[in-house]
Amino acid sequence: MEFFEALGSILGFEGMYVSLFQLGVVFAFAASGEWVAERAGTLNISVEAMMLAGAFGAAFGMYLINSSIVGVLAGCAAGMLVASAQANLSHRLAANQFVVGLALNVLVLGLTAYLVSVLDLGRSRAMTWRIPLLVDIPLVGSALFGRPWPAYLVYVAMPGLAWLVYRTRWGLNVRAVGENPQAADVSGIDVNAHRRQAILVCGVMAGFAGAFLLVGQVGTFTGNIVSGRGFIALAAVIFGGWTLRGTIIGCALFAFVEALAISIPVKGYKIDSFILDSAPYVVALAVMLFFAGRVRQPAALAQPFVRGLT
Amino acid sequence: MGERSDRSDRSDRNEKLASAARTAAIYAASVSVALVLAGLLVSLTGGSALEVGNALIKGSLRSPGAWGLTLTAMAPLLFVAVGAVIANRAGLVNIGQEGQLLFGAMFAAYAAVRVPGPGWLAILASLGAAAIGGGLWAGIAAVLRTWRNLPEVLTTLLLTFVAFSVMSFGLRNRWLLGDRDTTRRRHISSGEQIPLDTRLPNLHLFGNSIDLGVLIALAVAVAATAVVARTTLGARIDVLGLNPRAAQRFGVSRIRLTNGVLIASGALAGAGGAMLLLGGASGDRLSAGYSNNNGWDGLLVALLARNRVMAAIPMAFVFASLRTGSSFLASTGVDRKMTDVVQALLVLALLLPPAIEQLRRHRSRPTSAPATPAVAGLAAPTAVGGA
């Protein structure tokens, strides 16, 4: 009985919905970018590094020029920088994509932590846009209509990405490259160029996710700001069965879990922090366990392509 | 006739020498680019690259007793790296060693303070427990892979984050890993001290105290090399990595071998955790952040070693030197995170030459395109004839 009471009080807590939407936006950008890369055949584990670079880039951009637009753009650029390293090393030089990804994760983690130790970046926050009237809706008004401005871009970016991948020639090529690179190659598509481009798209999206995490949610850059959220985004893509819609649903689910973990202690309920801390990762593992058997991954996922090797 | 073959032999040898020299030059160039980049970063942020280099060498090799510290720090890295190399050879990408190592350390700590009897028994028990702990944690990823085809790349990573939470849960509870010593002012985030007689003995050589762990780790590396190079199991692992479908045709049980290799690599990482705890490289009691990136670093060592167990030994030494050397960085005013940057740059630098070489070979190779239709043409009539 007490449990339902607690659940009711948490579900009636406005802050929970705010966290849910904010983290949902972070996950949605990172995971949808990762989804593009995976549709092209790269299991891109450096998405974590891209997010971290994005967050740092945003903090650094705002430190130089105090404008959140510059910050977000710098974040996207930083994510893209990591992406171009990943793309060229793994799909121009044919180095192992996991090795590259891991090295980049370590590099960006060390580099940002080092740079933060020598720079005082201060606080970086984006301006909040309140949509009049709608923001006063009880419970979810503030969560949906009273957010820092970059959050609203999710309504543009997600349909845009769906259009790009499902409705354009480039998107068709990308999907072909991820399913059957040999056939794509024979029909005149530059396989590795498309994979590189898909990783760059992932870099922009993940860089934005990191930038929004900083300017919209956390406010100050710390070395552990991302702390595995990139890997959860990877799990969201698997959960979504490599469809954009499913991926976004997965993001909402993982954001909900994390929002719950944030809200439970805020509302004064005591649950061992072990459960709260590990919940996002355990839930990610558990839902993959349930859903992975029912979906089909891109046939050439994580397989390098070298022309003439087959 | 003889003269001619001799000459062609010689030119062949010359060509091989030239190619080896070129490879060495590419490696040297890319490593120096990495070091120059790191130096530039230090200079740009107001430090002195020369001072940093000196401090690293002094801390890891030149100051009294430094060799012993570096070798002690090498043991866990080598354990992790051997496991990762074996997993790599089997085509598995286990990158959750940090969590597996932590689990090993937790199991080792539990056993070390609770097993009664003489010290050597407790040491053996905690080593065994550590291997079980690490193997268990990797085993979850193994089951998820073989049962649900979940990529072990992702599951091992996610499990690492869970391992951190498990650790802090264990430390908060006395019946698990928390300090049972009630006289000590209660530290929420530290475990029970490992008794003195349950630590690995040290060898004293030339003013250095060298931890026995590094000898165990070297022995394990040699044993692993032998397994990989000389046994059927090693051959099976290689076939599984090179061509899983062929492996199955040869009668290798893919599921069993995949599970076994992943669990073994986790067990080795776990044993690395025991080395950390019993060798004292990271403190004599568990605390938050105890694994201290040893799992990640060991994995990077394995990546540098590029599938050769023996190559992991010098690489582990280099990384251990950076680790011990970084404690001397404080005097230069440069944050020790700098060594993480150096390590990652080294990995990227050593990744480039083989990739460039491969690309060059691929581009310069005469196209085999005309050969393929001929083979196909030969094969087609026989197929028709057979039918």
Side-chain angles (χ1 to χ4, degrees):
Chain A
M1 224 48 248
E2 204 182 334
F3 170 77
F4 289 108
E5 214 171 276
L7 193 68
S9 116
I10 286 161
L11 288 180
F13 174 46
E14 199 177 21
M16 207 277 293
Y17 295 96
V18 172
S19 307
L20 169 62
F21 184 71
Q22 298 261 90
L23 293 166
V25 170
V26 172
F27 282 137
F29 271 93
S32 63
E34 173 65 26
W35 168 73
V36 179
E38 292 198 15
R39 285 308 291 253
T42 315
L43 190 52
N44 182 30
I45 59 170
S46 61
V47 64
E48 175 92 359
M50 294 170 188
M51 288 176 78
L52 191 56
F56 181 81
F60 191 64
M62 288 191 73
Y63 166 75
L64 293 179
I65 301 165
N66 192 15
S67 141
S68 55
I69 297 177
V70 173
V72 168
L73 286 178
C76 292
M80 214 166 154
L81 196 69
V82 176
S84 73
Q86 167 84 47
N88 285 302
L89 287 170
S90 62
H91 295 303
R92 199 186 286 276
L93 290 177
N96 182 308
Q97 54 184 268
F98 299 125
V99 177
V100 175
L102 197 71
L104 284 175
N105 280 343
V106 176
L107 178 67
V108 174
L109 199 63
L111 198 60
T112 52
Y114 175 70
L115 288 173
V116 155
S117 77
V118 291
L119 289 168
D120 183 20
L121 293 170
R123 289 182 66 75
S124 6
R125 278 208 166 276
M127 204 176 40
T128 304
W129 280 1
R130 290 177 194 285
I131 316 279
L133 295 178
L134 288 174
V135 76
D136 299 324
I137 298 174
L139 219 55
V140 295
S142 163
L144 288 174
F145 304 108
R147 293 298 92 224
W149 66 265
Y152 298 107
L153 285 177
V154 75
Y155 299 117
V156 186
M158 296 302 123
L161 210 59
W163 174 78
L164 185 68
V165 174
Y166 287 124
R167 290 279 178 270
T168 65
R169 174 167 291 273
W170 183 82
L172 183 63
N173 289 350
V174 157
R175 285 178 287 139
V177 156
E179 290 293 341
N180 192 341
Q182 279 78 27
D185 184 50
V186 169
S187 61
I189 301 169
D190 188 339
V191 173
N192 283 325
H194 277 81
R195 288 186 171 176
R196 288 197 295 270
Q197 290 154 8
I199 293 172
L200 289 181
V201 171
C202 176
V204 174
M205 301 294 278
F208 182 92
F212 178 68
L213 187 62
L214 181 83
V215 301
Q217 175 84 4
V218 181
T220 35
F221 183 86
T222 55
N224 60 358
I225 183 169
V226 179
S227 65
R229 289 202 179 91
F231 305 131
I232 291 184
L234 279 163
V237 177
I238 296 178
F239 170 83
W242 288 273
T243 62
L244 185 57
R245 198 172 302 160
T247 301
I248 293 172
I249 293 172
C251 290
L253 174 69
F254 295 140
F256 177 64
V257 172
E258 221 185 311
L260 270 186
I262 293 172
S263 305
I264 287 171
V266 172
K267 292 300 277 181
Y269 295 100
K270 285 201 174 23
I271 292 189
D272 195 285
S273 66
F274 161 59
I275 296 172
L276 297 178
D277 292 345
S278 59
Y281 311 104
V282 173
V283 170
L285 285 164
V287 296
M288 283 198 299
L289 181 67
F290 278 109
F291 288 92
R294 299 170 199 185
V295 296
R296 197 186 62 83
Q297 65 180 39
L301 186 62
Q303 283 164 17
F305 174 77
V306 181
R307 182 184 271 171
L309 209 83
T310 47
Chain B
M1 183 70 193
E3 197 182 309
R4 240 181 86 194
S5 80
D6 192 39
R7 196 180 298 156
S8 79
D9 252 20
R10 200 178 300 154
S11 78
D12 208 39
R13 205 177 305 146
N14 279 345
E15 205 164 286
K16 258 185 199 157
L17 256 170
S19 136
R22 195 171 46 229
T23 311
I26 297 177
Y27 270 101
S30 79
V31 168
S32 15
V33 166
L35 293 179
V36 165
L37 275 179
L40 265 180
L41 181 67
V42 170
S43 312
L44 279 178
T45 50
S48 154
L50 212 65
E51 257 179 51
V52 167
N54 272 336
L56 284 177
I57 291 172
K58 199 169 172 199
S60 58
L61 303 173
R62 292 224 324 261
S63 72
W67 275 90
L69 290 177
T70 300
L71 288 174
T72 303
M74 182 178 156
L77 297 181
L78 191 53
F79 259 103
V80 171
V82 169
V85 166
I86 291 175
N88 272 351
R89 288 186 82 103
L92 298 166
V93 196
N94 176 7
I95 53 178
Q97 277 88 355
E98 185 81 4
Q100 290 147 18
L101 178 134
L102 199 57
F103 246 74
M106 284 191 267
F107 272 56
Y110 190 84
V113 297
R114 280 178 175 78
V115 168
W120 59 267
L121 186 70
I123 290 178
L124 284 182
S126 53
L127 267 176
I132 292 171
L136 194 75
W137 211 235
I140 298 174
V143 169
L144 288 174
R145 178 184 162 104
T146 50
W147 179 35
R148 284 298 197 178
N149 200 24
L150 288 182
E152 74 285 0
V153 181
L154 182 54
T155 51
T156 51
L157 266 175
L158 290 173
L159 284 168
T160 296
F161 290 94
V162 181
F164 288 133
S165 307
V166 172
M167 166 93 163
S168 60
F169 177 76
L171 288 179
R172 259 179 281 121
N173 291 283
R174 282 231 171 82
W175 55 274
L176 266 176
L177 301 168
D179 199 346
R180 288 175 301 175
D181 180 2
T182 43
T183 58
R184 201 168 153 259
R185 225 175 70 212
R186 190 154 182 256
H187 271 294
I188 211 110
S189 57
S190 79
E192 194 160 322
Q193 195 174 26
I194 306 301
L196 274 174
D197 63 344
T198 359
R199 295 189 202 161
L200 289 170
N202 286 328
L203 304 173
H204 294 278
L205 280 178
F206 314 116
N208 287 298
S209 73
I210 295 164
D211 177 47
L212 196 64
V214 71
L215 297 181
I216 304 176
L218 286 172
V220 166
V222 171
T225 313
V227 167
V228 164
R230 304 236 175 261
T231 64
T232 326
L233 178 65
R236 286 187 168 163
I237 289 174
D238 284 351
V239 175
L240 183 71
L242 292 169
N243 190 339
R245 222 176 286 167
Q248 202 143 26
R249 293 281 160 84
F250 286 139
V252 175
S253 164
R254 229 162 117 179
I255 291 181
R256 257 172 58 196
L257 196 58
T258 300
N259 283 338
V261 168
L262 261 179
I263 290 171
S265 74
L268 282 167
M275 291 292 134
L276 206 57
L277 191 74
L278 306 179
S282 192
D284 57 0
R285 57 175 88 231
L286 287 180
S287 55
Y290 189 80
S291 51
N292 195 13
N293 284 346
N294 273 286
W296 295 118
D297 288 355
L299 178 59
L300 293 182
V301 167
L303 300 182
L304 287 175
R306 302 183 52 88
N307 286 358
R308 289 183 305 272
V309 179
M310 279 318 207
I313 296 172
M315 295 299 173
F317 184 77
V318 171
F319 270 48
S321 310
L322 280 170
R323 187 171 272 276
T324 46
S326 71
S327 61
F328 270 54
L329 278 184
S331 64
T332 64
V334 171
D335 197 271
R336 44 193 308 176
K337 290 279 176 197
M338 192 61 222
T339 52
D340 292 353
V341 179
V342 174
Q343 287 173 348
L345 282 175
L346 275 181
V347 173
L348 287 174
L350 294 186
L351 195 69
L352 279 177
I356 292 173
E357 190 78 353
Q358 196 186 344
L359 189 76
R360 212 180 49 82
R361 216 179 313 141
H362 187 69
R363 285 205 174 139
S364 66
R365 193 174 53 192
T367 47
S368 56
T372 324
V375 172
L378 265 179
T382 40
V384 171

